[in-house]
Amino acid sequence: MKKEYSIIIIAVSIVFSSLWIGKSIEGNRNNEALAYEEEETQEFGEVLSLSEAADYLRISNASLERVIRLEEKYPHMISGKRFPYTKVEDELIIKKSLLNDWLRDANNTRRQYIDGQIK
């Protein structure tokens, strides 16, 4: 009788341990997936549309479009970073961290976009 109970206890222990280990492995996989997604987000960072970038800079869309056109027309007038964007079809995509770098550079060089000119 004792042997039967021992076998049942061992069997239940094995089943319970297997379930516990399985759940632990599943939890680790979920954590790894979340960490990967977070890492990917950090790598690419937040991206903005043209209007979101204008809002972020607290200027109008038209003003931001003029800045981009001026930099494209007079690239030789800029010694530092140009406005960072990628064009997809008719949409501009702006990586927020690069926008911050551009703004820092424009501030450091005291760049001005006035009356259709870069000063």
Side-chain angles (χ1 to χ4, degrees):
M1 187 85 153
K2 283 187 175 182
K3 284 185 180 179
E4 292 171 359
Y5 285 122
S6 297
I7 291 173
I8 291 172
I9 291 172
I10 290 173
V12 169
S13 296
I14 290 172
V15 169
F16 178 74
S17 297
S18 297
L19 291 172
W20 184 40
I21 291 170
K23 289 290 184 185
S24 176
I25 290 171
E26 183 180 317
N28 286 340
R29 284 185 184 154
N30 289 341
N31 289 342
E32 288 173 4
L34 289 173
Y36 177 76
E37 287 176 18
E38 186 175 306
E39 180 180 305
E40 202 170 78
T41 300
Q42 289 175 353
E43 179 183 346
F44 295 108
E46 187 178 355
V47 293
L48 306 170
S49 67
L50 180 74
S51 62
E52 289 170 332
D55 288 344
Y56 180 71
L57 295 171
R58 296 187 176 131
I59 62 175
S60 69
N61 287 6
S63 292
L64 185 51
E65 289 171 352
R66 278 193 296 275
V67 166
I68 293 168
R69 278 195 308 273
L70 282 170
E71 287 190 356
E72 289 173 349
K73 189 174 181 179
Y74 305 109
H76 59 280
M77 297 290 295
I78 301 166
S79 60
K81 297 179 185 294
R82 291 178 57 187
F83 188 84
Y85 70 89
T86 300
K87 192 167 189 174
V88 178
E89 300 292 334
D90 293 332
E91 301 292 324
L92 297 184
I93 301 169
I94 299 122
K95 186 175 177 185
K96 191 174 181 180
S97 63
L98 295 178
L99 178 59
N100 287 329
D101 291 344
W102 172 82
L103 184 58
R104 189 176 302 109
D105 183 66
N107 280 326
N108 288 342
T109 59
R110 304 234 190 266
R111 197 176 315 147
Q112 297 179 30
Y113 300 85
I114 299 174
D115 298 327
Q117 296 182 339
I118 302 171
K119 299 179 180 185

